[in-house]
Amino acid sequence: MTRTEPDAGRALRPPSAYHLAASVRPLTFSPYDPCARIAAGTFWWATRTPDGPATLALRTAGGDLVAEGYGPGAGWVVERADSVAGLRDDLTGFADLAATHPVVARLSAAHQGLRLPATGLLFSRVLRAVLEQKVTGKEAYRGYAATVRHFAEPAPGPVRLLLPPDPAAVAAAGYWVFHPFGIEQRRAETLRRAARMADRLQRCADPAEATRVLRAIPGVGPWTAAEVVRVAYGDPDAVSVGDFHVPNTVAWALAGEPRGDDARMLTLLAPFRGHRGRVCRLLEAAGVQAPKFGPRAPIRSFAHF
């Protein structure tokens, strides 16, 4: 029988402007993510912890953020619920940096309730990042969801969620297992290699060490490493170099230039060192996009933003 009462819980006190959905959005792949969802104001997140499977529920109640955990790893996720919710996010110095650019200052004020989550768990994020390599968002999600459902293991708690695949099961699967999910051999082999390194990755003390270990895995580059450490550690400076869209977005937002490469992106983000990833997250949260070139579409200045 499904357990409806939590195995652990606590109340947290977030900042007055805190926005739960915006802060935890990076932990969901889509509204249909089999491992996480936001429903009726509650964020549900299924994961594997060092203590075993768990589901964390986060919801606001009055001025509190209520955290409830289910399953063998309930105590682990509840103890770290403030980190998962982004409440340990350190914004020291960002206000001064944001004030140096009108667009960043405006976004910082408009999204002051947004915090960067830090899950403390790496492999589930590696799974998603590897499957997002060099494909469209729809293709990435299709492969991710199919992979999770192939290794289907129900998560504890009252909501129907699945746990992320066990790294040992992924490592033991032949690369051809992933072909029906639209995952070619290159990404499948990268994922299997990362799965074999899951324990080593989980022992990394900080984003720098995790980045070094990740980059030593064939098939993992700077983009994948940044995608992992930004969420696993809440690294506010992680920039996804090699992204198809982000350089254009940054160039458009910060300089009014409709196109930019990685070098231009890093130049424009340099004044925000220490919080470069945070700036990119603010642009994403605001829905900023560089203009699409069309046969008769004039390029407009970013001054209107």
Side-chain angles (χ1 to χ4, degrees):
M1 187 171 73
T2 301
R3 183 180 177 86
T4 59
E5 294 299 317
D7 297 294
R10 64 188 285 212
L12 307 166
R13 178 64 62 157
S16 58
Y18 174 75
H19 195 294
L20 173 62
S23 297
V24 300
R25 189 73 63 188
L27 305 185
T28 65
F29 205 153
S30 87
Y32 311 103
D33 189 330
C35 301
R37 72 182 58 161
I38 299 173
T42 298
F43 171 60
W44 298 91
W45 180 59
T47 191
R48 295 180 184 274
T49 79
D51 294 341
T55 296
L56 174 67
L58 292 170
R59 57 184 171 83
T60 55
D64 288 340
L65 181 65
V66 177
E68 296 173 334
Y70 301 82
W76 194 96
V77 291
V78 167
E79 180 182 349
R80 292 160 181 80
D82 56 339
S83 181
V84 175
L87 301 186
R88 299 185 194 178
D89 185 17
D90 185 0
L91 281 81
T92 301
F94 181 62
D96 291 338
L97 296 177
T100 65
H101 194 289
V103 170
V104 180
R106 199 151 54 241
L107 292 180
S108 179
H111 298 273
Q112 59 181 305
L114 185 152
R115 296 293 185 271
L116 301 182
T119 65
L121 299 169
L122 279 86
F123 181 71
S124 57
R125 192 63 184 187
V126 171
L127 169 73
R128 173 173 163 176
V130 169
L131 297 186
E132 286 183 285
Q133 291 177 347
K134 298 183 179 181
V135 294
T136 67
K138 288 183 179 180
E139 290 171 323
Y141 176 73
R142 186 161 55 244
Y144 164 81
T147 298
V148 171
R149 291 181 178 120
H150 174 79
F151 294 99
E153 186 175 339
V159 174
R160 293 181 62 183
L161 294 174
L162 296 176
L163 293 167
D166 184 346
V170 174
Y175 71 83
W176 54 88
V177 169
F178 301 90
H179 284 186
F181 315 149
I183 302 167
E184 80 292 344
Q185 183 175 354
R186 180 189 61 80
R187 282 184 297 154
E189 293 287 21
T190 299
L191 182 59
R192 294 173 66 241
R193 285 189 288 264
R196 290 194 288 269
M197 293 288 290
D199 288 343
R200 173 70 183 88
L201 283 167
Q202 191 58 41
R203 293 195 301 271
C204 291
D206 53 39
E209 182 183 0
T211 296
R212 288 194 298 272
V213 175
L214 283 164
R215 292 294 307 278
I217 299 172
V220 173
W223 183 90
T224 303
E227 290 290 306
V228 172
V229 302
R230 184 167 51 252
V231 171
Y233 295 93
D235 184 354
D237 201 46
V239 180
S240 299
V241 173
D243 194 274
F244 184 77
H245 298 288
V246 175
N248 295 334
T249 300
V250 171
W252 178 240
L254 302 188
E257 300 165 1
R259 292 294 179 267
D261 56 15
D262 284 329
R264 181 58 173 155
M265 173 181 69
L266 293 175
T267 296
L268 292 168
L269 290 174
F272 307 99
R273 184 169 291 279
H275 293 277
R276 295 176 300 174
R278 188 186 306 281
V279 172
C280 294
R281 176 71 185 102
L282 285 171
L283 296 175
E284 178 186 17
V288 177
Q289 294 181 331
K292 294 181 173 64
F293 289 117
R296 297 182 181 177
I299 298 172
R300 296 181 296 171
S301 168
F302 193 68
H304 68 280
F305 183 77

